[in-house]
């Protein structure tokens, strides 16, 4: 059974509840592919939060401003790419944490 809707929900949750929705889906759904996407989404949000925090600290010496822009855009673009790939039926792995899982 393909849980395309749940995968799309996990990717889209980055815009409204980036930790809660993937965590709940991970606990409730039995499908291993959906669980994998949920864990990747959570880890991606954690890693991006850490990188953005470091960029904010480094922006006081101006070197963090480009990183802040890049990481901010990544937190918007990557989930959209995940939604598009899932809609087309392809498996999508998050770029930073996809190989960790």
């Amino acid at each position: 059974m393909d849980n395309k809707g749940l995968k799309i929900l996990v990717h889209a949750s980055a815009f409204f509840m980036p930790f809660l929705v993937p965590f709940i889906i991970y606990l409730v759904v039995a499908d291993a592919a959906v669980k994998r996407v949920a864990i990747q989404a959570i880890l991606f949000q954690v890693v991006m939060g850490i990188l953005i925090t470091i960029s904010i600290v480094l922006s006081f010496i101006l070197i963090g401003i480009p990183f802040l822009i890049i990481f901010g855009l990544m937190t918007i673009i990557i989930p959209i790419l995940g939604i598009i790939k899932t809609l087309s039926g392809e498996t999508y792995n998050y770029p930073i944490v996809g190989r960790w899982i």
Side-chain angles (χ1 to χ4, degrees):
M1 182 168 137
D2 187 27
N3 291 320
K4 188 185 289 189
L6 288 173
K7 292 177 185 176
I8 291 171
L9 179 63
V10 168
H11 293 304
S13 71
F15 303 113
F16 57 94
M17 290 187 177
F19 298 105
L20 185 62
V21 172
F23 183 69
I24 291 172
I25 288 176
Y26 179 79
L27 293 176
V28 173
V29 176
D31 186 15
V34 175
K35 284 186 178 239
R36 193 170 138 267
V37 169
I39 286 292
Q40 283 185 16
I42 292 169
L43 287 175
F44 178 76
Q45 292 299 328
V46 168
V47 168
M48 292 310 293
I50 292 168
L51 291 174
I52 287 173
T53 302
I54 292 170
S55 298
I56 289 171
V57 171
L58 290 176
S59 67
F60 291 114
I61 56 173
L62 299 177
I63 198 167
I65 294 173
F67 291 117
L68 188 60
I69 293 168
I70 291 169
F71 296 142
L73 287 173
M74 282 179 66
T75 58
I76 296 169
I77 294 171
I78 298 299
I80 292 172
L81 289 176
I83 292 170
I84 293 169
K85 293 278 188 172
T86 303
L87 283 172
S88 66
E90 298 177 37
T91 302
Y92 183 74
N93 291 316
Y94 280 86
I96 297 172
V97 297
R99 292 189 178 98
W100 296 354
I101 305 298

